[in-house]
Amino acid sequence: MKKFRLILTILVVILFLVQYSIVKADIFYLDIFGHWAEHIILWATNEANLFNGYPNGTFRPDDSITRAEYITILYRAAMEK
């Protein structure tokens, strides 16, 4: 019983550490989970305020961005303190 409790505790701690970046994010996108840039997108959205997703809750990480989106990102980066 003690061994089972120890394994369960270790598993809970590992799951918490793996999901920590998702737990602390204010804004989530439905289509970035498992994407190679997931942590960067969450950082740039929640901490750096560089990105905004689309109104339907997606980010579309594999799509190309438009010129207007690129200029908006550059403007936000320049205005960041």
Side-chain angles (χ1 to χ4, degrees), residues 19-70:
Q19 298 297 325
Y20 181 68
S21 66
I22 297 171
V23 171
K24 69 177 183 173
D26 295 329
I27 299 173
F28 299 100
Y29 298 110
L30 303 175
D31 57 346
I32 66 167
F33 296 111
H35 192 271
W36 65 268
E38 174 184 355
H39 297 290
I40 297 167
I41 294 169
L42 290 175
W43 169 81
T45 301
N46 292 297
E47 294 179 29
N49 297 322
L50 296 176
F51 298 152
N52 285 337
Y54 293 95
N56 63 354
T58 61
F59 186 79
R60 302 177 193 161
D62 294 320
D63 289 355
S64 298
I65 63 172
T66 64
R67 290 179 186 163
E69 291 169 336
Y70 179 72

